[in-house]
C-alpha cells in the first residue's frame, strides 16, 4: 500500500524568505511523485513531478523538489517566496498502470508581507 | 485548450434530496477521476474511469453514490439521498491513459443542510 505524510499542516513565512514543505511517502513499488498547488476555490494544478532520472526536479513558479529514495522523501523548496504563493500544497504518490494516486493532507503556505 | 469543466460550481440542498454533478474532461483524455475533498484534507478517489469502464470504484459508497460515463467522454456523479456528511468539494480530473499527470477541474462545493 502507498501512503503520503505531509509533515507540516501550516507554514507561515515572510515574503522573499526561502521555504521548504516536507513530504514523506511509503510504497512497496517504484513510485511517481507529484506536488500540486490549490488556490482558493480552484482545482489542483501540477507544480512538478518525478517519474525517473534526475532526483532534482524543477517545476513552475520557481519551485523545485528533490527525490530522496533512502529517506523516502520528496520535499518542495523555493528560494524566495511571493505573496502570490499563498495556497494549499499537496504531495502525491502514484504508480504506473493501475495504481491510484494518493494525496497527502496538504500544507497551507501563508506568505506574509 | 479548454480545461476540465465542472458544473455546478456550488450546490446547496437539504438532506435526503438527490444531487448530480457533471464533468467534461479535457479532449482526448481517456481517464477520468472523481475525487472527494473534505475541508483541510487532500482529495480522496471515489472512482476512476478508463474510457467508459469504471476500473476502480472501491471507495465509492455504492448505497447512495453512483456514476456514469456512458460515451467515454463526460461523466455524471450522483448522490441519492444526500446526507449531512456529504458536504464537501467534489473534484473531477482527467489524464491521458498512459500518463500520470492529472488535470483538475475547479470542483463543485456541495452543502447539505
Amino acid at each position: 500500500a502507498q501512503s503520503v505524510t505531509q509533515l507540516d499542516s501550516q507554514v507561515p513565512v515572510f515574503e522573499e524568505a526561502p521555504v521548504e514543505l516536507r513530504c514523506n511517502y511509503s510504497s512497496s513499488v517504484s513510485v511517481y511523485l507529484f506536488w500540486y498547488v490549490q488556490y482558493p476555490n480552484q482545482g489542483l494544478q501540477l507544480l512538478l513531478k518525478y517519474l525517473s532520472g534526475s532526483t532534482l526536479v524543477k517545476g513552475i513558479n520557481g519551485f523545485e523538489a528533490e527525490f530522496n529514495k533512502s529517506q523516502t522523501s520528496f520535499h518542495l523548496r523555493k528560494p524566495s517566496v511571493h505573496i502570490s504563493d499563498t495556497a494549499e500544497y499537496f504531495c502525491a504518490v502514484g504508480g504506473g498502470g493501475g495504481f491510484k494516486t494518493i494525496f497527502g493532507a496538504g500544507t497551507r503556505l501563508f506568505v506574509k508581507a | 485548450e479548454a480545461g476540465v469543466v465542472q458544473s455546478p460550481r456550488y450546490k446547496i440542498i437539504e438532506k435526503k434530496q438527490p444531487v448530480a454533478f457533471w464533468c467534461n474532461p479535457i479532449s482526448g483524455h481517456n481517464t477520468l477521476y472523481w475525487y472527494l475533498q473534505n475541508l483541510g484534507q487532500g482529495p480522496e478517489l471515489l472512482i476512476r474511469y478508463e474510457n467508459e469502464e469504471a476500473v476502480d470504484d472501491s471507495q465509492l459508497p455504492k448505497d447512495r453514490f453512483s456514476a456514469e460515463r456512458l460515451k467515454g467522454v463526460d461523466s455524471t456523479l450522483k448522490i441519492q439521498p444526500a446526507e449531512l456528511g456529504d458536504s464537501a468539494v467534489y473534484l473531477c480530473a482527467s489524464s491521458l491513459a498512459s500518463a500520470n499527470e492529472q488535470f483538475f477541474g475547479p470542483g463543485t462545493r456541495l452543502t447539505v443542510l
Side-chain angles (χ1 to χ4, degrees), chain A residues 38-43, chain B residues 4-12 20-22 88-91 105-111:
Chain A
Q38 185 176 34
Y39 298 102
N41 297 316
Q42 295 185 29
Chain B
V4 177
V5 179
Q6 290 188 249
S7 68
R9 290 293 314 276
Y10 304 91
K11 188 73 175 179
I12 301 174
F21 315 125
W22 178 80
V89 175
Y90 291 82
L91 294 168
T108 296
R109 182 177 297 277
L110 173 67
T111 302

Side-chain angles (χ1 to χ4, degrees), chain A residues 6-69:
Chain A
Q6 291 186 241
L7 299 167
D8 307 291
S9 60
Q10 295 187 64
V11 174
V13 63
F14 284 103
E15 192 174 20
E16 297 184 6
V19 70
E20 178 180 81
L21 306 184
R22 298 180 295 168
C23 173
N24 285 98
Y25 70 92
S26 67
S27 177
S28 57
V29 297
S30 297
V31 297
Y32 300 157
L33 294 160
F34 308 85
W35 276 99
Y36 287 85
V37 60
Q38 185 176 34
Y39 298 102
N41 297 316
Q42 295 185 29
L44 281 68
Q45 177 185 358
L46 184 72
L47 275 178
L48 49 80
K49 60 184 176 183
Y50 171 80
L51 302 182
S52 65
S54 173
T55 57
L56 183 62
V57 180
K58 294 189 182 297
I60 62 172
N61 301 342
F63 284 93
E64 63 180 31
E66 185 159 16
F67 170 56
N68 189 318
K69 187 175 182 179

Side-chain angles (χ1 to χ4, degrees), chain B residues 37-57:
Chain B
Q37 186 178 25
N38 286 305
L39 188 64
Q41 298 183 25
E44 300 173 31
L45 183 70
L46 288 172
I47 189 168
R48 176 168 65 97
Y49 283 93
E50 296 286 350
N51 298 304
E52 66 273 10
E53 182 182 0
V55 296
D56 184 355
D57 63 355

Side-chain angles (χ1 to χ4, degrees), chain B residues 1-6 22-27 29 92-94 103-106:
Chain B
E1 179 182 317
V4 177
V5 179
Q6 290 188 249
W22 178 80
C23 172
N24 194 37
I26 292 174
S27 177
H29 282 194
C92 179
S94 69
F103 296 81
F104 284 82

